[in-house]
């Protein structure tokens, strides 16, 4: 059976979140193609994973036989999250842009699953696993826009997920999501709507394509 690891990090619930709306479409289409599959879900806003501590960090570089009780407990939580990543056939991440970067809760998850010599390094243990990132943002940071240089979500996640963990990274980018809520952006509402609709269509199409790829 196929397994999808689905992570949402938006602070907004349900349809109030642009990224959650898109990940929900992706997940729904993935499940239609994998009716007997398993979805491992983390809502990092509702249930954050522990941030890295000195004990959980140093435990990753020490012989398990030498772990203190504190290191052992902290590292066990990291291993649980790492194993979820390693056992997934596909990964889906909702990563809205907050203050030009990813939510701190998503950074905490990444800090837990990045482990040199296992998930990162010369032979990453989840290498090649496809990961679809829904990188929503309130404005536009696309090439050629005034704020292009402030784009630290796609750049960062491409480096960490692709370069660091060896995953096969793909992005869906709903943008201008603040247009319906900010009067100063009212004239951009049609562009927001087009971006939203395109993102929803991409989510369905990419989930279907991924299902075909995994069945091949």
């Amino acid at each position: 059976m196929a397994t999808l690891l689905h992570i949402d990090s938006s602070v907004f619930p349900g349809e109030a979140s642009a990224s959650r709306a898109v990940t929900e479409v992706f997940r729904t289409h993935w499940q239609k193609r994998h009716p007997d599959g398993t979805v491992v879900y983390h809502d990092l806003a509702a249930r954050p994973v522990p941030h890295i501590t000195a004990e959980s960090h140093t435990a990753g570089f020490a012989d398990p036989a030498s772990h203190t009780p504190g290191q052992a407990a902290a590292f066990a939580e990291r291993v649980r999250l790492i194993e979820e990543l390693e056992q997934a056939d596909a990964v889906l991440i909702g990563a809205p842009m907050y203050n030009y970067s990813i939510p701190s809760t998503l950074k905490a998850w990444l800090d837990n699953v990045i482990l040199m010599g296992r998930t990162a390094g010369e032979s990453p243990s989840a290498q090649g696993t496809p990961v679809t990132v829904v990188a929503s943002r309130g404005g536009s940071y696309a090439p050629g826009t005034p704020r292009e240089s402030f784009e630290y979500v796609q750049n960062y996640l491409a480096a960490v997920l692709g370069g660091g963990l060896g995953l096969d990274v793909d992005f869906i980018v709903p943008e201008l999501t603040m247009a319906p809520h900010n009067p100063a952006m009212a004239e951009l509402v049609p562009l927001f709507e087009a971006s939203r609709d395109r993102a929803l269509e991409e989510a369905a199409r990419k989930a279907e394509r991924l299902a075909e790829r995994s069945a091949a």
Side-chain angles (χ1 to χ4, degrees), residues 20 26 49 58 79-80 112 124 146 153 160 163 167-168 181 211 213 215:
R20 289 180 190 269
F26 185 103
V49 301
T58 56
V79 169
R80 182 180 69 83
N112 274 277
V153 173
V160 173
L167 307 182
D168 182 4
H181 313 289
R213 170 178 161 180

Side-chain angles (χ1 to χ4, degrees), residues 177-189:
T177 62
M178 285 299 297
H181 313 289
N182 184 348
M185 299 175 66
E187 64 180 15
L188 299 175
V189 168

Side-chain angles (χ1 to χ4, degrees), residues 11-173:
V11 297
F12 297 103
E15 295 182 358
S17 164
S19 63
R20 289 180 190 269
V22 178
T23 60
E24 179 62 26
V25 168
F26 185 103
R27 173 175 170 169
T28 297
H29 279 263
W30 186 91
Q31 288 181 301
K32 285 181 180 178
R33 295 297 299 267
H34 296 287
D36 298 321
T38 299
V39 176
V40 177
Y41 182 59
H42 286 288
D43 183 340
L44 298 180
R47 292 174 296 279
V49 301
H51 280 79
I52 285 289
T53 62
E55 289 183 318
S56 59
H57 176 70
T58 56
F61 299 94
D63 183 341
S66 70
H67 284 176
T68 66
Q71 284 179 315
F75 192 59
E77 177 63 15
R78 288 189 68 184
V79 169
R80 182 180 69 83
L81 296 172
I82 286 169
E83 289 178 343
E84 289 178 349
L85 175 62
E86 292 173 335
Q87 293 165 11
D89 296 288
V91 181
L92 172 64
I93 299 175
M97 176 186 283
Y98 294 151
N99 299 316
Y100 309 120
S101 187
I102 64 173
S104 62
T105 52
L106 180 55
K107 178 61 163 59
W109 179 80
L110 287 168
D111 286 342
N112 274 277
V113 300
I114 296 171
L115 181 60
M116 291 301 299
R118 181 164 177 173
T119 59
E122 292 185 3
S123 300
S125 56
Q127 187 168 13
T129 302
V131 53
T132 304
V133 179
V134 179
S136 58
R137 61 278 313 274
S140 179
Y141 301 80
T145 61
R147 296 207 171 189
E148 177 184 356
S149 63
F150 290 86
E151 206 297 303
Y152 300 114
V153 173
Q154 285 179 268
N155 290 343
Y156 172 71
L157 291 177
V160 173
L161 297 173
L165 297 177
L167 307 182
D168 182 4
V169 188
D170 193 16
F171 287 96
I172 299 174
V173 186

